[in-house]
Amino acid sequence: MKLTSTKFFRTFSQPLWGNNPVSIQSLGICSALAVTVQLKTAVVMGISMTVVVAFSSLLISLIRNRIPRNIRIIAELIIIATLVILTDEFLRAFYYDISKQLSVFVGLIITNCIVLGRTEAFALSNPPHLAFIDGIGNGAGYSAALIMVAFIRELLGSGKFFGLKILPGIFYTAGYEDMGFMLLAPSAFIIIGLMVWLQKTWVKNDTK
Amino acid sequence: MENLISIFLNSVFVGNILLAYFLGMCSFIAVSKNIDTAMGLGFAVVFVLTITTPLNWMIYYFFLAPGALSWVGLPDLDLSFLKFIMFIAVIAAIVQAIEMVIDRFSAGLYSALGVFLPLISVNCAILGASLFMVEREYTFIESVVYGFGSGVGWMLAIVAMAALRIKLRYADIPKGLEDYGIAMIVTGLMAMAFMLFSGISF
Amino acid sequence: MFNRIKSLLFALVLCLICGSLLAFASKGLKNRQQDNITTDRQKNILKSVGLIKEEMTYTPDQIKTLFIDTIKRVSVDEAGRIIDEKENTEIPGSKIFPIYLYVQSDDSIAAYVIPIDTKGLWGKIHGYLSLGNDGSTINGFTIYKHSETPGLGGEIEKTWFQQNFVGKKIVDRHGAFVSLSIARGKVENNIPEDRRKNYVDGISGATLTGKFLTEGLKETLSSYEPVSIRFRKNNFRDYKQIEKKQR
């Protein structure tokens, strides 16, 4: 059997591209956009998100046969919230500057539809290792979308890449100016919209 | 008073919780296909936000904030790390309670709002407003006004969006951009329009 | 009935596990987090007096040593006198203001830093304003916490905005206190020539943040005015004298 057709691999690769949670399923954009002004915050946010989705899927899948049906959602929320708090505490202890910039958006991972969506739709009915991989895949898909938006916004908005000036000074002397608009909220919506367009056209051609 | 009006107007327009802080996007995209449902969800959000933001304020400042428990003789305790879990629990509980109360007393309101209420407990805007309220160190009254204002702002955005999407049905949009893609771009344009309010001195 | 008990038990155990995990983590990381906050404040104080450059990175230890070596925290009362904190905290109603002194190696005071805690458009704006030892020229300005709208009022945390403050005056040509204001738009286009020293460039689209910050600066600076006057009169130049008075 080819690697690309195992269930294991498909579980991981599906959410990365063909079924990306942000750009195809339109989930979890809430927290996604506000942190995309810089690549650094986007990357950290992506990693935090991946950790939370992966481990909440794993834990819930492990206890999926024991959770009483009637308190399922609240139990899931508690596990997710615990993981989010741990992530937040960790960031505040070791990456203070970034956690200051992310402010409330780490906390908002709790209500991010991707996390609850994956635990509900996948972890509850699949074994732990698949659930974990599914979590990582979805987290990575989310991060990929985030990083792409952040890359565009940081490059066009402040001429930087990971906080380093990469546009040569000659551009500026020749009259080029940073696009301040890219740093404002509306630009994120428009970039996502265009990304969706690009990807949908692409994915459609793939399947044909 | 002037301060409160300023908080209200700012949370509705310039600092619109959806268009400037991107909160509540999931249900915004999913439910904005029809004006009536958008209106219903909008009202539900206003309702829940106006109740949960001040309630979470009380919980935070009477139980969780550093030194908040001095009234039971524990001045050194700092439980603020529990705020995420408490806030989300309060929101979920309130939403459930509201659902039951409405169901019991007003069948009309229940049929209008009922279906939207479960959607709301995972709406980022609700949790977001509570977290911003802590972050910005609001007083109690300010938190009431902020909760209400954010709700109204969110409703305004989703109703306007629903109206625009109805118009879009008759537009000839490139394949692939349909639905979700164009919705994002329209939201972007709307966010831009809302930013213009920032030039106005309230 | 059995089901209900089972649900309840499950919820209880889950809460217990999660709760203890969180309490444990929070307790364990608390000191580190507090440390981070202290270092961040110290970094901002150092930045406001110009001892730290934006583009360089520093380890927390470097910041700590630099801070201990150069910055002394003292308190002043309403009349601008340096006071011994231990005595005065017991008198209710007496107002004490903290200031940070930038003491050079020869014990001369090069600058003093005033903490700014003021209302912004959304929440509080916290930062530091450093004034030179002439009591009127601004040395630097930093902001370490705010919740203004990103891209609009949020620009106050950017270097270009904070750099504006350097070299501005809080007094007019005749030496009378006027505070410092955020202009609407660029200073050179909107403010008459003789008052430009008292204005900094505003942020477009963030008129209100500017307004709040102007008010806050005025209020804070006027309560610190007695100290500034002493600096202007040359009373506060030598840290040794102050140390003596404190004892």
Side-chain angles (χ1 to χ4, degrees):
Chain A
M1 197 154 68
K2 260 167 61 188
L3 173 75
T4 46
S5 54
T6 55
K7 186 164 189 216
F8 198 76
F9 184 83
R10 285 185 60 80
T11 316
F12 177 73
S13 64
Q14 269 282 317
L16 259 184
W17 178 250
N19 203 13
N20 188 293
V22 176
S23 52
I24 303 290
Q25 294 176 49
S26 74
L27 288 179
I29 342 162
C30 320
S31 56
L33 300 177
V35 299
T36 50
V37 177
Q38 292 170 15
L39 261 174
K40 206 167 72 180
T41 46
V43 170
V44 173
M45 184 72 184
I47 295 172
S48 317
M49 179 73 184
T50 311
V51 169
V52 173
V53 196
F55 282 94
S56 60
S57 288
L58 177 71
L59 290 175
I60 285 158
S61 170
L62 277 174
I63 56 170
R64 68 184 188 280
N65 295 327
R66 294 180 195 280
I67 302 183
R69 280 331 244 186
N70 47 353
I71 58 164
R72 188 182 80 237
I73 301 253
I74 197 87
E76 285 165 10
L77 272 179
I78 287 178
I79 290 177
I80 294 167
T82 308
L83 285 165
V84 170
I85 296 173
L86 287 178
T87 316
D88 184 49
E89 295 273 318
F90 177 83
L91 285 180
R92 269 195 292 156
F94 296 98
Y95 297 95
Y96 183 73
D97 280 343
I98 294 181
S99 88
K100 221 169 72 172
Q101 285 169 347
L102 289 177
S103 73
V104 302
F105 289 98
V106 177
L108 286 171
I109 294 179
I110 297 176
T111 47
N112 194 311
C113 328
I114 299 176
V115 191
L116 199 67
R118 285 337 281 173
T119 52
E120 271 284 289
F122 197 89
L124 273 179
S125 52
N126 281 288
H129 66 279
L130 276 182
F132 187 68
I133 288 297
D134 176 73
I136 290 193
N138 274 284
Y142 170 86
S143 312
L146 227 66
I147 288 169
M148 224 131 83
V149 178
F151 173 73
I152 298 173
R153 286 181 79 182
E154 193 177 1
L155 184 71
L156 297 182
S158 38
K160 291 177 182 169
F161 177 73
F162 272 111
L164 291 172
K165 207 90 193 152
I166 56 158
L167 282 188
I170 189 146
F171 271 51
Y172 293 92
T173 42
Y176 173 82
E177 268 186 52
D178 286 331
M179 217 192 297
F181 171 70
M182 279 292 156
L183 301 176
L184 301 176
S187 72
F189 290 110
I190 291 173
I191 293 174
I192 285 262
L194 295 177
M195 257 169 63
V196 171
W197 186 11
L198 198 72
Q199 201 179 348
K200 273 198 177 158
T201 322
W202 217 322
V203 169
K204 210 170 279 160
N205 289 342
D206 270 359
T207 47
K208 255 176 204 166
Chain B
M1 194 59 211
E2 192 196 350
N3 176 29
L4 294 181
I5 295 175
S6 144
I7 287 185
F8 177 75
L9 289 175
N10 269 299
S11 52
V12 176
F13 296 110
V14 186
N16 188 299
I17 195 152
L18 190 125
L19 297 171
Y21 291 94
F22 312 103
L23 299 180
M25 282 298 297
C26 305
S27 26
F28 174 76
I29 296 286
V31 187
S32 61
K33 283 177 184 151
N34 174 321
I35 292 196
D36 288 338
T37 42
M39 204 76 142
L41 184 66
F43 271 119
V45 167
V46 176
F47 199 55
V48 173
L49 262 176
T50 319
I51 294 174
T52 55
T53 315
L55 195 70
N56 278 334
W57 188 92
M58 285 196 267
I59 296 214
Y60 186 75
Y61 287 102
F62 289 132
F63 295 100
L64 301 178
L69 281 172
S70 53
W71 54 274
V72 285
L74 296 165
D76 295 331
L77 211 58
D78 174 8
L79 292 178
S80 55
F81 66 96
L82 284 177
K83 65 171 185 274
F84 296 150
I85 222 168
M86 274 313 276
F87 287 176
I88 193 78
V90 165
I91 290 165
I94 287 293
V95 168
Q96 283 272 306
I98 291 175
E99 197 178 350
M100 284 190 272
V101 169
I102 293 182
D103 191 18
R104 179 85 174 71
F105 293 107
S106 162
L109 198 59
Y110 184 75
S111 61
L113 290 188
V115 282
F116 301 114
L117 283 169
L119 261 180
I120 281 179
S121 34
V122 286
N123 188 323
C124 328
I126 315 280
L127 182 65
S130 287
L131 292 176
F132 276 130
M133 167 271 293
V134 171
E135 179 91 3
R136 293 172 184 166
E137 301 162 43
Y138 281 145
T139 62
F140 180 72
I141 303 291
E142 283 170 351
S143 79
V144 178
V145 175
Y146 177 64
F148 180 65
S150 303
V152 172
W154 199 89
M155 182 168 113
L156 193 67
I158 195 171
V159 172
M161 185 66 195
L164 284 174
R165 279 181 96 166
I166 286 171
K167 291 276 172 213
L168 279 179
R169 274 189 215 155
Y170 305 104
D172 190 13
I173 300 163
K175 276 250 181 302
L177 196 60
E178 277 168 344
D179 217 29
Y180 177 39
I182 195 72
M184 285 307 280
I185 291 177
V186 168
T187 315
L189 295 176
M190 230 159 83
M192 236 189 282
F194 268 65
M195 275 183 75
L196 297 182
F197 286 113
S198 70
I200 301 171
S201 215
F202 295 120
Chain C
M1 191 60 201
F2 177 71
N3 257 338
R4 254 186 222 172
I5 292 174
K6 203 184 136 204
S7 301
L8 212 64
L9 216 64
F10 182 86
L12 216 65
V13 171
L14 191 69
C15 286
L16 217 64
I17 294 173
C18 291
S20 43
L21 201 68
L22 287 180
F24 199 65
S26 141
K27 192 86 193 141
L29 296 174
K30 186 110 224 161
N31 286 335
R32 248 199 110 90
Q33 291 169 356
Q34 283 302 334
D35 245 29
N36 281 337
I37 294 173
T38 323
T39 318
D40 190 53
R41 303 257 163 98
Q42 292 180 344
K43 193 171 134 192
N44 271 284
I45 292 174
L46 289 169
K47 210 164 96 185
S48 74
V49 295
L51 281 172
I52 278 189
K53 298 276 172 294
E54 178 79 34
E55 58 278 357
M56 305 259 287
T57 46
Y58 297 84
T59 64
D61 287 331
Q62 275 175 317
I63 290 169
K64 248 175 240 165
T65 7
L66 195 61
F67 188 82
I68 293 167
D69 288 349
T70 54
I71 307 288
K72 309 281 178 229
R73 183 184 192 275
V74 292
S75 300
V76 293
D77 66 5
E78 278 158 289
R81 283 185 302 257
I82 303 271
I83 47 163
D84 193 351
E85 231 176 296
K86 279 165 214 146
E87 284 169 26
N88 258 281
T89 37
E90 280 140 38
I91 305 170
S94 76
K95 275 193 187 151
I96 310 175
F97 306 102
I99 57 169
Y100 299 88
L101 302 173
Y102 170 26
V103 183
Q104 285 174 323
S105 48
D106 59 346
D107 277 340
S108 63
I109 297 170
Y112 60 109
V113 180
I114 296 171
I116 308 283
D117 299 290
T118 176
K119 253 189 97 49
L121 167 64
W122 286 114
K124 295 263 170 67
I125 297 176
H126 302 276
Y128 295 103
L129 185 75
S130 155
L131 290 161
N133 62 7
D134 59 352
S136 58
T137 315
I138 290 170
N139 226 348
F141 177 64
T142 55
I143 280 171
Y144 62 90
K145 191 166 180 251
H146 73 88
S147 32
E148 303 307 295
T149 322
L152 297 173
E155 291 286 298
I156 53 170
E157 64 173 34
K158 294 285 164 62
T159 318
W160 74 261
F161 179 70
Q162 299 180 357
Q163 275 301 322
N164 267 331
F165 283 72
V166 179
K168 299 282 173 174
K169 303 264 185 202
I170 61 166
V171 294
D172 65 10
R173 274 184 306 164
H174 314 292
F177 172 70
V178 287
S179 179
L180 184 86
S181 309
I182 314 327
R184 294 187 70 158
K186 288 259 180 273
V187 171
E188 20 180 21
N189 305 337
N190 297 304
I191 307 292
E193 179 118 35
D194 57 330
R195 282 161 56 207
R196 281 185 195 163
K197 275 281 169 208
N198 304 119
Y199 283 86
V200 294
D201 291 349
I203 300 163
S204 59
T207 322
L208 281 173
T209 303
K211 210 176 96 192
F212 277 109
L213 198 58
T214 304
E215 277 167 23
L217 282 174
K218 183 154 196 175
E219 202 176 303
T220 317
L221 282 172
S222 32
S223 56
Y224 277 94
E225 183 57 11
V227 191
S228 304
I229 289 176
R230 276 167 191 254
F231 270 103
R232 266 172 238 153
K233 286 184 182 155
N234 236 340
N235 277 351
F236 274 169
R237 285 286 155 89
D238 197 348
Y239 183 65
K240 268 194 192 132
Q241 283 177 353
I242 296 171
E243 234 179 355
K244 245 178 255 160
K245 269 184 213 157
Q246 241 180 339
R247 284 190 195 123

